[in-house]
Amino acid sequence: MEESKAYPAEMAYRKASRQGLVNNTYALVYVKNGYSVLEDVFINDVPIGTYVEFQKTTD
């Protein structure tokens, strides 16, 4: 994720966590030879980048 999108993504995650609704939040991580790479984070099965863009249009 681009650094410029990291803060809005973090804020979207925090907002989703505080709403008191059931949120299915998880990460897609690849592991090979003891090294891991975070591919994406999902909130309610929506990639966090898409989730952030959607939140911008609804706020």
Side-chain angles (χ1 to χ4, degrees):
M1 174 177 283
E2 293 177 25
E3 189 66 31
S4 63
K5 295 180 182 178
Y7 183 74
E10 182 180 345
M11 293 298 104
Y13 169 77
R14 287 183 183 187
K15 183 177 178 182
S17 296
R18 280 187 261 135
Q19 289 176 340
L21 303 173
V22 176
N23 287 305
N24 186 17
T25 305
Y26 59 95
L28 176 61
V29 179
Y30 294 103
V31 179
K32 183 176 181 181
N33 298 328
Y35 294 96
S36 61
V37 175
L38 175 63
E39 178 70 19
D40 210 341
V41 175
F42 295 84
I43 299 175
N44 293 332
D45 298 325
V46 178
I48 197 162
T50 304
Y51 189 89
V52 168
E53 291 301 318
F54 179 72
Q55 291 299 309
K56 284 183 185 178
T57 61
T58 60
D59 285 345

